[in-house]
Amino acid sequence: MAMKIKNVRFDQNDLDRLDKLAAIHQKDVSTLIREVVTDYIDAEEWQLQQVEETVDAVESGAMETISLEQFLREER
C-alpha cells in the first residue's frame, strides 16, 4: 500500500516521549506512530461494530433487555 504524508502537530513533551518509546522499541518515530494509530483505529472499529450488532439484536428482539431497576434488584 502506498504511503501518504499527513502533517500532525505534537507538543514538545509528547515528541520527547515518542522519541524515548521509539528508541526503547528500536523503531523510528514514524513507524511507532503508524502502529499506534492503526491499533487505535482497529479497536475503535471493533467497538463500533459491537455496538451496532448489539443495537441490531435488541431492535430485532434477538436480545432480551431488562430495566436498570430490575437489574439492580436481581444483583442484590
Side-chain angles (χ1 to χ4, degrees), residues 3-29:
M3 295 280 184
K4 297 205 176 194
I5 295 174
K6 182 73 171 180
N7 291 326
V8 180
R9 296 179 190 269
F10 294 95
D11 65 39
Q12 189 60 52
N13 184 51
D14 287 341
L15 285 176
D16 294 342
R17 294 166 66 201
L18 281 168
D19 287 336
K20 287 179 186 176
L21 286 172
I24 289 168
H25 292 283
Q26 298 178 338
K27 299 177 180 183
D28 60 57
V29 173

Side-chain angles (χ1 to χ4, degrees), residues 4-73:
K4 297 205 176 194
I5 295 174
K6 182 73 171 180
N7 291 326
V8 180
R9 296 179 190 269
F10 294 95
D11 65 39
Q12 189 60 52
N13 184 51
D14 287 341
L15 285 176
D16 294 342
R17 294 166 66 201
L18 281 168
D19 287 336
K20 287 179 186 176
L21 286 172
I24 289 168
H25 292 283
Q26 298 178 338
K27 299 177 180 183
D28 60 57
V29 173
S30 293
T31 299
L32 182 64
I33 291 171
R34 278 194 310 276
E35 289 176 354
V36 169
V37 169
T38 298
D39 289 347
Y40 175 81
I41 291 169
D42 290 347
E44 286 293 310
E45 288 177 339
W46 179 85
Q47 288 178 349
L48 289 171
Q49 180 182 1
Q50 296 304 305
V51 168
E52 288 174 7
E53 289 175 5
T54 301
V55 168
D56 290 345
V58 169
E59 289 177 346
S60 72
M63 180 181 286
E64 184 179 330
T65 61
I66 62 172
S67 69
L68 175 60
E69 292 79 17
Q70 183 179 351
F71 172 78
L72 292 174
R73 277 194 309 270

